[in-house]
Each structure stands twice: as structure tokens, then as C-alpha cells.
Amino acid sequence: MITAEGVTVRYGRTVALDAADLTASTGITFGLIGPNGSGKSTMLRAMLGALRRAGGRVEVDGVSVDDLTARQRAERIAVVAQEEPSGLPLTAWDSVLLGRSPRLSGWSRYRPVDEQAAAEAMSRAGVDALAHRGIDELSGGERQRVLIARALAQEATHLLLDEPTNHLDVRYQHDILSLVHSLPLTTVVVLHDLNLAGRYCDELMLLDGGRIAARGTPHDVLVPDVLEPVYGISMRRVDLDGVPQLVFRPAERAVT
């Protein structure tokens, strides 16, 4: 379980996150949604302990992230950032094996157990065949799967993802989130696409201007009366096979 209580983050005089609370229970996929600049990525970074909080507390399985060393955090929390080229001459295998670094002591070499963990992670993420390909030669969807495999090799119990479907086509968006949702981890994911959030998240928190506008199940949060004031666009909801999905109605432009 990962919890945040009263988390406040300021950038100068700007309040990016205002006393936000979050509880991601064991084994669920928890989605952070909201417009650009609403505080989603800030919340994720605060949960990781990667930025200074002006107030509040974050705990992982009852332990404050402030009391964990960098190695201890890495043993508990794996992170998949927005998809981007690494710029390093790494193969997919090299990248996944890096996930074992927090499990090593000092400058020790990778052990057979590390290689086994990396191989199992690649198999689980479905990227075995990419092992000897250069990481920057892969498509966006392939690269994201490799990064998820690296997180699995890390053997952390919590997974944080910042817009993992960014710049991916529709097939890979569903492939990636289907994989994420199937993992036996406590997962917090930042998403822009509300329909993807409705399909693959167990719980959602809607942020607006750094404050919590709504939280609950997708059925509770993905409601036009809740979303329209936040996003400034008309919409209606349809339930497909029990999954809430939204149809948007942009305002018509005046003809001059």
C-alpha cells in the first residue's frame, strides 16, 4: 500500500498541489487524471520522494519515504517515466538488467540470480525477442514494454508510471495498460485519456488546479457533471460491457 496525506507542493508562490490525500491499496491500479497543469505528475513525484514537499506525508507500506534511503526506495518503488529515447548504446537486455542495480552491493557484478530475474521480467512483458536490439531502435510501444520489464526485474512492490501511453498508437496504448493492469503490484499511473483510465484503472483521482475534484471508482468519477467543469468540454457517458466510456462534444465555432 502507498498513501499520501495532506501533500502540498509549491513552486515559488505557485501551489502545485494543495493538501492532497491518496491511498492506493495493495494490488490495485490507481489512476491520476486531470487537465494539463492539474498536479498529476507532481503528485507522482511527491509519492516517490523526488521533490520537496511543503507539507504532508507519504508512506509505503507504513514507512515514510523520507526515512528510506535511495536504495530502499528503489527496492520498494519502480518508476516508468514518459517514453523517450535513452541516448545510450544499450540493448533491451542491458536496460532490463539495470533494474537489478538496487539489489547489488557496491560495484559487484550481476549474478546469475539477477540475469534470471531479468529474463523472467522480459518474458512476462513479452519482449524476449527484443533482447539484443538497441533500445533506441525500438518502437515507442516496444520501448515502453522494455521499461516495464526493467521495473519488473527490480522486484519492487509498487509501480509508478507517468503517462506511459504518451505518443503511442491505439493498439500499443491498450497493450501497455492491459499489461500494467495484470501485474500483481500496487500501481499508480498518470493518464490523460479518460477512456483508457475508465477501462484499466480500479480507482481514480481527478485533480484540478492542484486540488482533488473527485475520487472513487471509474463509475463514480467519470461522470459528465463531475468532469465538464474541470475540462471545460461537454460530454456524455456510455457504458460498454460495464466499462464507462465518454463521448465528447466540442463547442461549435462561430461562423463569421
Side-chain angles (χ1 to χ4, degrees), residues 233-245:
I233 186 172
S234 297
M235 62 187 80
R236 66 183 177 90
R237 185 175 115 178
V238 295
D239 288 358
L240 300 176
D241 300 323
V243 177
Q245 299 285 275

Side-chain angles (χ1 to χ4, degrees), residues 1-164:
M1 176 181 290
I2 187 165
T3 60
E5 298 179 354
V7 173
T8 298
V9 176
R10 294 189 179 94
Y11 298 129
R13 296 182 178 179
T14 301
V15 179
L17 208 58
D18 189 6
D21 298 333
L22 180 154
T23 298
S25 303
T26 303
I28 74 163
T29 300
F30 192 105
L32 294 174
I33 60 174
N36 290 334
S38 60
K40 303 183 299 298
S41 294
T42 297
M43 186 67 178
L44 205 71
R45 293 176 63 201
M47 295 172 70
L48 179 61
L51 48 74
R52 180 176 296 180
R53 303 185 303 275
R57 179 179 179 83
V58 177
E59 293 185 349
V60 180
D61 293 332
V63 180
S64 172
V65 294
D66 299 331
D67 295 334
L68 299 173
T69 65
R71 180 182 293 274
Q72 289 171 332
R73 290 181 192 178
E75 289 174 347
R76 290 167 170 80
I77 305 173
V79 180
V80 177
Q82 293 186 36
E83 182 271 318
E84 60 181 23
S86 69
L88 299 175
L90 298 175
T91 64
W93 170 254
D94 295 331
S95 181
V96 174
L97 198 55
L98 282 174
R100 298 298 300 172
S101 298
R103 304 289 173 178
L104 302 178
S105 58
W107 295 97
S108 59
R109 295 182 177 181
Y110 293 113
R111 306 155 297 177
V113 67
D114 299 312
E115 295 183 351
Q116 180 179 351
E120 290 176 353
M122 293 193 79
S123 177
R124 186 161 202 172
V127 292
D128 314 60
L130 306 177
H132 300 295
R133 296 267 306 275
I135 190 70
D136 286 341
E137 298 173 2
L138 304 179
S139 70
E142 291 170 335
R143 191 180 299 119
Q144 284 298 79
R145 279 186 170 269
V146 168
L147 294 178
I148 290 172
R150 184 172 69 189
L152 292 177
Q154 196 171 323
E155 293 186 332
T157 52
H158 301 75
L159 178 62
L160 306 183
L161 303 101
D162 191 2
E163 297 183 42

Side-chain angles (χ1 to χ4, degrees), residues 161-173:
L161 303 101
D162 191 2
E163 297 183 42
T165 59
N166 196 27
H167 304 310
L168 301 186
D169 65 36
V170 64
R171 173 198 163 186
Y172 279 119
Q173 290 175 2

Side-chain angles (χ1 to χ4, degrees), residues 157-233:
T157 52
H158 301 75
L159 178 62
L160 306 183
L161 303 101
D162 191 2
E163 297 183 42
T165 59
N166 196 27
H167 304 310
L168 301 186
D169 65 36
V170 64
R171 173 198 163 186
Y172 279 119
Q173 290 175 2
H174 286 273
D175 281 353
I176 292 297
L177 291 178
S178 178
L179 170 61
V180 167
H181 190 256
S182 71
L183 299 175
L185 304 173
T186 301
T187 302
V188 181
V189 55
V190 171
L191 290 171
H192 269 298
D193 191 309
L194 300 179
N195 287 329
L196 291 175
R199 182 167 294 276
Y200 294 106
C201 294
D202 301 301
E203 296 182 26
L204 296 174
M205 185 164 79
L206 171 65
L207 289 167
D208 182 22
R211 296 184 177 182
I212 298 173
R215 59 182 156 196
T217 68
H219 287 276
D220 296 330
V221 176
L222 299 184
V223 177
D225 287 347
V226 172
L227 298 172
E228 287 177 351
V230 174
Y231 284 92
I233 186 172

